[in-house]
Amino acid sequence: RDVQIVLAFAKNNMRIYSTAQELFFHRNTITYHLDKVHRATGLNPFKFYDLVELVLGIKKEVNVGD
């Protein structure tokens, strides 16, 4: 679920409300999961360059499995 939220957050130009609408979650749920990603990785998804690094890492992991 965290991966899905990070990718949707990036796709929605870092807008929590738009991400929540797309995924049918409450905005607080989106914030909670993004904070959880921040604690786990040390990368803050609310900062543009950290979000880019997260998305690139996710895409790299997805391509490795194929």
Side-chain angles (χ1 to χ4, degrees):
R1 181 184 279 182
D2 292 337
V3 169
Q4 178 188 20
I5 289 173
V6 168
L7 294 176
F9 186 61
K11 181 178 134 190
N12 284 290
N13 297 317
M14 300 174 69
R15 293 187 181 116
I16 292 175
Y17 185 73
S18 300
T19 305
Q21 282 186 320
E22 178 182 327
L23 298 176
F24 302 105
F25 290 142
H26 191 275
R27 60 185 173 77
N28 291 347
T29 303
I30 301 299
T31 303
Y32 168 77
H33 283 280
L34 293 175
D35 285 338
K36 191 169 106 176
V37 167
H38 183 204
R39 288 190 306 273
T41 64
L43 296 171
N44 186 351
F46 296 103
K47 293 184 178 179
F48 178 76
Y49 290 110
D50 284 355
L51 180 61
V52 169
E53 194 170 333
L54 282 168
V55 170
L56 290 175
I58 290 168
K59 294 200 180 250
K60 180 180 175 186
E61 289 297 317
V62 169
N63 288 337
V64 169
D66 290 339

